[in-house]
Structure formats: C-alpha cells, structure tokens
Amino acid sequence: MASTLAGSWLPSPPPAELSEEQLAEVAPLLLNAGSGGLAWRRVRGAGLRDSSAAFELQQAYRLFALQSALHERDIRQVVPLLESFGIDAVMVKGWPVAELYPDPGARPYGDLDLCVRPDQYDLAAEVFRRPENRGFVVDLHRGFGNLDERPFDELFARSQSIKVGGVDVRIPAAEDHLRILCAHLMRHGAVRPLWLCDVAVMLDSLPDDFDWDLCLGDGGSSDMVACSIGLAHALLGARAECTPVKERALSLPGWMVPSVLRQWEVPFKLRRPMLTYLNDPVGALREARHHWPNPIEATVGLRASFNELPRLPFQLANCISRTAKLLARLPARLRD
C-alpha cells in the first residue's frame, strides 16, 4: 500500500511498479481505506489500467469526483446558513485538504468538518437538527475540540477565506492546518494511509512565508508534527529534508514505521463507541477487540514521548485509562 500510494498526490505521479497480481492483492485494502482514487492516479499510467482491479480503482476515482461536486453544493448552502444566524465557522480536514490535491477524484471525504465558537455550538447544533437542514452531513466541533488545543479566537483570527462558487469559506491558516492534520493522524494511530497522504500533499503546498515556529508550538505538538512528517517521508517519499524538523523526522523510533504497516495490513474499520452497545453485549465483545490502542495511539493518549521504550506498557495503561473513563460515564448513560 505504501509503495502504491507514494507520490500519488503529485500533479504527475510516477507510474506504479506493480504486477497485475500484486495490484489485485492490494486493491481491496486501498478501496476499503478510501485510497482508491489516489491509487488510480498511479495505476492508470502503469500499463495496468485494463485489469479488473484497476477498473475498481477507476470507479472509486469517478465516485469521489461526483461526491466532491455534491459536497461543494452543500458548502455553498451551509456556510451562508450559519452566517444568517451569526455563527462563525472554520472548515477543517476533508474539503480544505481535498482542495490541495490535483483533481477532485483523488481525495474523498464523507462530511463537512465545521468548528464553531464554543458559545455558538448549541445554536449551530439546533440549526442542523431542523428538518429542512437534516440532509447536510456535518461533523460539528465545539471550538476546535480535540483537533487543536489552541483557543478558537486565536485560530479564527489567523484563518483565511477562500471562494467556493461565490461563497467565502473560512479554513485554518496553513500553519494551523498542518498541525491539525498531524495531530489527527497521530491521535488515531495513523491507521488510515489517506491521512498520511494529506500530510504529504500539505507539505508540498506550503506557502513561501510559512511560519514553522507558529506551526510547531510547544514540545508535544512539535513532536507530533515532526513524527508525522517522518512517517510521510519513510512510507510515501514525502519531502522532509527541507523542514526544520528534518533531524527528528529522519530518526523515528524503531517501532513506529512497523506499527503503521501492521495497521495497513488489515481492512480499515471505523470504531463505534462502546456505549452504543449497552443493549448488545455480544456486539460489545466483538467490537472491543477493535479498541485495543496501537502504539502511536496509546502514546498520544497518555501524552507520552515517542522514544525507543517498548510500547506495550503504554498500550496497557492507555487501555486502562479509557476503560475507567467509559465506566465513569456508564451510570449517566444507563439513566438516559
């Protein structure tokens, strides 16, 4: 998967060096992880475009392009809708990063991630609960939630506005957006290769006046950014040498790359919250195995350092911590 996606975000990606058999083996994983469109960009010039696996990747690419057009239609309605209620919103991840790719079929996204002022969150949620607005697929965040610890006002003041069909849409400044993408990748254990491609395409799109000091911030976020860049370099060939964190990016802990590749060997699966299984104990047991934290996820969850120490103790500690939080919330959920 890594070699197939390497350079897939470039305007003219190099043809994939795969046999038809290898493509048939990796295509289901690529499709499952939402990377079919990117894989097609490398396969279509590799003499494999007539294979059945390539046809499936091409179909994913076409579907993503159609979905992109539908999402942009929704954006042109959602942003003015929020503005009509005086709600300030910043769009992150999905659509803003998809705009950095060379064409709309490359990067899919399932919803619109909108960050609103904390004191306007309840109003925004009520707006989207109204029957006439329930068709919009929106992931609403109170402030920047767990995407970034910085205050909403600070990130909003730095945000930039871009036009979508005559509508001004606010997105984070490049410095903030790269940090958000890296934090999101690492917090979820880098389980989805598409998110690592996002880091790579962002690196290739940085403006000349990009402020690395502003992006990196404190030690914790700085190391997540550096390690994300290091993973994108090690697995996808993204540029890391021209960044001020190159020394750290090129010296990742020995366990990190293998742990990511192990995640990519199995089909990507979104986790369901365990509290949704209160009436389904059998389903809860089946789901529980998907909630074992991988080494990166456990390290971030404990706010620990990415060093060479064995990760199993971190995974156990993170699992215990999350279980304790789940049990603490259980009585209230049962009452509800």
Side-chain angles (χ1 to χ4, degrees), residues 216-232:
L216 296 174
D218 59 30
S221 61
S222 172
D223 206 35
M224 278 200 288
V225 172
C227 289
S228 298
I229 293 173
L231 285 173

Side-chain angles (χ1 to χ4, degrees), residues 21-77:
E21 292 75 18
Q22 289 172 324
L23 181 61
E25 181 180 2
V26 75
L29 289 172
L30 290 162
L31 291 164
N32 176 266
S35 304
L38 283 170
W40 168 247
R41 300 189 75 250
R42 292 208 60 202
V43 167
R44 62 187 176 187
L48 297 169
R49 61 182 305 139
D50 294 328
S51 67
S52 58
F55 176 74
E56 292 186 43
L57 298 177
Q58 183 185 34
Q59 291 297 87
Y61 177 87
R62 290 170 171 170
L63 175 63
F64 297 160
L66 290 172
Q67 290 175 336
S68 175
L70 294 174
H71 286 313
E72 290 199 8
R73 179 199 63 185
D74 288 348
I75 291 170
R76 292 195 297 270
Q77 299 177 60

Side-chain angles (χ1 to χ4, degrees), residues 154-168:
E154 178 184 336
L155 272 66
F156 186 82
R158 285 199 296 266
S159 65
Q160 54 185 314
S161 181
I162 59 176
K163 290 281 188 183
V164 181
V167 174
D168 290 318

Side-chain angles (χ1 to χ4, degrees), residues 97-98 100-101 107 181 193-203:
V97 75
L100 300 177
Y101 286 87
R107 207 284 189 193
L181 293 176
L194 185 65
W195 297 335
L196 197 57
C197 292
D198 289 347
V199 174
V201 75
M202 188 81 190
L203 287 173

Side-chain angles (χ1 to χ4, degrees), residues 68-297:
S68 175
L70 294 174
H71 286 313
E72 290 199 8
R73 179 199 63 185
D74 288 348
I75 291 170
R76 292 195 297 270
Q77 299 177 60
V78 164
V79 172
L81 174 66
L82 292 175
E83 288 177 348
S84 69
F85 288 89
I87 298 173
D88 293 324
V90 180
M91 195 170 295
V92 299
K93 296 193 305 176
W95 175 77
V97 75
E99 286 293 286
L100 300 177
Y101 286 87
D103 43 67
R107 207 284 189 193
Y109 52 101
D111 53 26
L112 305 179
D113 282 277
L114 290 170
C115 301
V116 300
R117 291 188 184 280
D119 60 351
Q120 295 180 328
Y121 176 85
D122 292 337
L123 174 58
E126 174 59 31
V127 169
F128 289 116
R129 279 196 294 266
R130 296 182 178 184
E132 65 270 22
N133 299 327
R134 288 178 182 170
F136 298 123
V137 185
V138 171
D139 187 2
L140 202 61
H141 301 269
R142 189 186 300 273
F144 282 82
N146 59 8
L147 298 174
D148 199 286
E149 296 180 347
R150 287 159 179 75
F152 181 90
D153 286 342
E154 178 184 336
L155 272 66
F156 186 82
R158 285 199 296 266
S159 65
Q160 54 185 314
S161 181
I162 59 176
K163 290 281 188 183
V164 181
V167 174
D168 290 318
V169 182
R170 283 202 168 271
I171 65 172
E175 293 83 357
D176 296 321
H177 209 186
L178 177 59
R179 186 180 59 253
I180 287 171
L181 293 176
C182 292
H184 177 261
L185 170 80
M186 302 300 273
R187 188 167 48 252
H188 292 281
V191 297
R192 199 175 185 188
L194 185 65
W195 297 335
L196 197 57
C197 292
D198 289 347
V199 174
V201 75
M202 188 81 190
L203 287 173
D204 280 349
S205 308
L206 299 181
D208 294 336
D209 59 350
F210 187 83
D211 187 340
W212 279 100
D213 290 334
L214 180 60
C215 172
L216 296 174
D218 59 30
S221 61
S222 172
D223 206 35
M224 278 200 288
V225 172
C227 289
S228 298
I229 293 173
L231 285 173
H233 172 77
L235 292 171
L236 304 177
R239 65 190 188 103
E241 297 85 351
C242 56
T243 69
V245 295
K246 64 179 180 180
E247 184 175 344
R248 173 56 166 158
L250 299 177
S251 58
L252 298 175
W255 53 264
M256 187 171 284
V257 169
S259 75
V260 173
L261 291 177
R262 282 195 297 271
Q263 292 294 317
W264 292 5
E265 288 175 354
V266 297
F268 172 74
K269 181 184 183 299
L270 284 173
R271 294 171 176 168
R272 280 184 58 186
M274 293 300 294
L275 286 175
T276 63
Y277 288 93
L278 290 179
N279 297 320
D280 183 11
V282 176
L285 289 174
R286 286 197 300 263
E287 180 69 20
R289 63 190 179 92
H290 299 294
H291 286 253
W292 174 252
N294 73 24
I296 295 176
E297 180 186 11

